[in-house]
Amino acid sequence: MSPTRTPRLEIRDIVRSYEGRPVVDHVSLSIQPGHVTCLLGPSGCGKSTTLRIIAGVEMQDSGTIHVDGQLICDTVFRVPPERRHIGLMFQDFALFPHMSVGENVAFGLKGPGLEKRARAVQLLERVGLGKYIDDFPHRLSGGEQQRVALARALAPRPRIMLMDEPFSGLDNRLRDGIRDDTLALLKEEGTSVLLVTHEPEEAMRMADEIALMREGRIVQRGAPYNIYNAPADKAAVAFFSDINVLRGKVRGALTDTPFGHFLAPGVPDGAEVEIVFRPQHVHIDFDRGGKGPNPTAIAGTPARGIVERARFMGSESLVEFRMDHDQEMLKATVPNVFLPKPGTPLWLTVRRDRCFVFPV
């Protein structure tokens, strides 16, 4: 068995409260060298405060921070921010307008001027901006300024990079390409990254691991695939996509619904559960004289709904149904164009292996 590697960054049981209200509530997290971890959650859940504590610009009330196994901060001992070997990138690129692009990149470097310029040239060439080294930031686009900010943050070769919503100010058309370029450069430099974002797509695209945060706590950690396909609760499912919810009561570890029985192991008889599934896992079939398809073990029993509205969303169509059994709304997405008219009866089934059952 190979020995456990020392995390590049480890925070242990961090707490930070404002006026008696915990904003960061016993958060623990570790990042291995060269890995990208995304701290994902809604606005106000404590993500940015956690980042500021790690950077050293804010103090925790309790807990410790370690870099490569060495303590850098507790409530008594504190390494100053500038000595933590931690780079910072924020939504506001904060480039110095009176300095050239090259001077901005070299700003945090020490040593002879030629060495600093050589490092600036190296990084600017890597992000495709070498020809702008002597220009000023105001002449660059938002995407180009973001890449300059990245080069500046990487110039001192930080062991850790903290990124707080760094792509949120960019045009959607540019964002994916710049994310990919940024990730490639960070991996090339071997930098460990903690990225704060409220966008699930960004976390899924960039992270080796996602830490899902809610109300100051980390509620689930894991690889993107696991977080998406084995969510901790209904709110975790809903954070990544639209959801449909069925309610039912458990009898003999089974919950009866219009879509058939669902397993609810370990839930006591009489308890209520919610069965949660995503619109893309709803299968639509045609009505055949008031009848639908036959039940199957995988798809369960079909239930009929009446189309309320259908909209084309670009790569898929969203169809909303008023269900016969309870008059509740249910959403389904279909690849490409599928736009049935309102009032059309259709039959729906739900894949059992794509449903999540949670006690209420």
Side-chain angles (χ1 to χ4, degrees):
M1 181 181 293
S2 60
T4 303
R5 289 190 299 170
T6 300
R8 174 58 45 86
L9 171 68
E10 186 174 16
I11 62 175
R12 301 176 186 169
D13 213 25
I14 293 292
V15 174
R16 181 72 172 107
S17 299
Y18 299 133
E19 299 179 349
R21 182 177 68 88
V23 175
V24 179
D25 192 0
H26 298 280
V27 167
S28 297
L29 190 65
S30 62
I31 306 175
Q32 292 296 330
H35 280 218
V36 177
T37 293
C38 280
L39 198 54
L40 173 67
S43 298
C45 72
K47 307 184 302 296
S48 294
T49 302
T50 302
L51 219 64
R52 290 196 297 271
I53 290 169
I54 296 169
V57 297
E58 188 162 337
M59 281 291 291
Q60 69 269 34
D61 300 324
S62 61
T64 60
I65 304 170
H66 305 255
V67 173
D68 289 327
Q70 299 296 312
L71 178 70
I72 64 165
C73 185
D74 57 19
T75 53
V76 177
F77 173 76
R78 181 173 182 265
V79 174
E82 66 274 12
R83 290 176 48 206
R84 294 189 179 192
H85 303 288
I86 294 176
L88 305 172
M89 273 193 71
F90 299 97
Q91 179 180 345
D92 179 1
F93 309 137
L95 300 177
F96 300 114
H98 62 287
M99 292 184 179
S100 70
V101 167
E103 289 168 339
N104 266 279
V105 174
F107 177 75
L109 298 178
K110 298 176 181 178
L114 287 176
E115 288 184 9
K116 293 195 291 184
R117 185 173 175 88
R119 177 64 172 161
V121 168
Q122 176 195 14
L123 287 170
L124 287 169
E125 290 286 353
R126 180 62 185 79
V127 297
L129 296 176
K131 63 182 178 181
Y132 297 115
I133 189 167
D134 294 317
D135 286 348
F136 286 88
H138 71 270
R139 299 188 61 183
L140 305 182
S141 69
E144 289 167 341
Q145 289 184 36
Q146 195 273 351
R147 284 183 276 165
V148 173
L150 173 65
R152 182 179 64 181
L154 284 173
R157 294 183 172 87
R159 287 180 281 182
I160 299 160
M161 179 73 77
L162 305 179
M163 308 177 79
D164 193 355
E165 306 275 7
F167 310 110
S168 59
L170 299 178
D171 188 292
N172 285 340
R173 293 171 297 176
L174 297 173
R175 199 174 297 176
D176 287 349
I178 290 176
R179 282 175 183 152
D180 291 346
D181 291 344
T182 298
L183 184 59
L185 182 53
L186 290 166
K187 292 281 189 180
E188 185 179 295
E189 291 279 321
T191 307
S192 297
V193 180
L194 182 59
L195 169 69
V196 159
T197 182
H198 66 276
E199 296 184 13
E201 181 184 341
E202 185 162 271
M204 298 280 284
R205 191 181 189 101
M206 296 194 69
D208 298 302
E209 182 180 59
I210 293 173
L212 187 61
M213 196 167 184
R214 189 188 310 141
E215 297 178 348
R217 288 181 172 270
I218 292 176
V219 296
Q220 189 174 7
R221 282 179 63 185
Y225 178 89
N226 293 331
I227 290 278
Y228 188 85
N229 290 292
D233 52 28
K234 182 176 76 171
V237 188
F239 197 78
F240 285 89
S241 67
D242 286 342
I243 60 172
N244 297 300
V245 181
L246 300 173
R247 275 185 174 250
K249 286 190 176 181
V250 176
R251 293 283 184 271
L254 292 173
T255 304
D256 190 25
T257 78
F259 291 96
H261 288 98
F262 287 82
L263 289 171
V267 180
D269 277 8
E272 283 199 348
V273 294
E274 291 180 322
I275 299 157
V276 183
F277 51 96
R278 297 185 167 103
Q280 64 264 37
H281 297 135
V282 178
H283 180 74
I284 300 173
D285 211 326
F286 292 103
D287 183 72
R288 301 171 179 86
K291 295 182 179 180
N294 293 325
T296 68
I298 294 176
T301 304
R304 199 179 83 149
I306 306 299
V307 175
E308 284 274 320
R309 63 183 66 87
R311 290 168 285 176
F312 181 58
M313 310 296 289
S315 61
E316 63 186 15
S317 298
L318 173 66
V319 187
E320 297 177 81
F321 294 89
R322 181 80 60 186
M323 300 305 296
D324 284 356
H325 61 270
D326 61 4
Q327 296 302 299
E328 292 292 323
M329 296 295 294
L330 187 146
K331 296 178 182 178
T333 55
V334 181
N336 300 316
V337 182
F338 179 68
L339 301 173
K341 292 180 179 179
T344 303
L346 293 168
W347 291 81
L348 311 178
T349 53
V350 185
R351 282 185 54 175
R352 288 296 188 271
D353 60 344
R354 296 298 184 181
C355 294
F356 311 106
V357 181
F358 300 114
V360 176

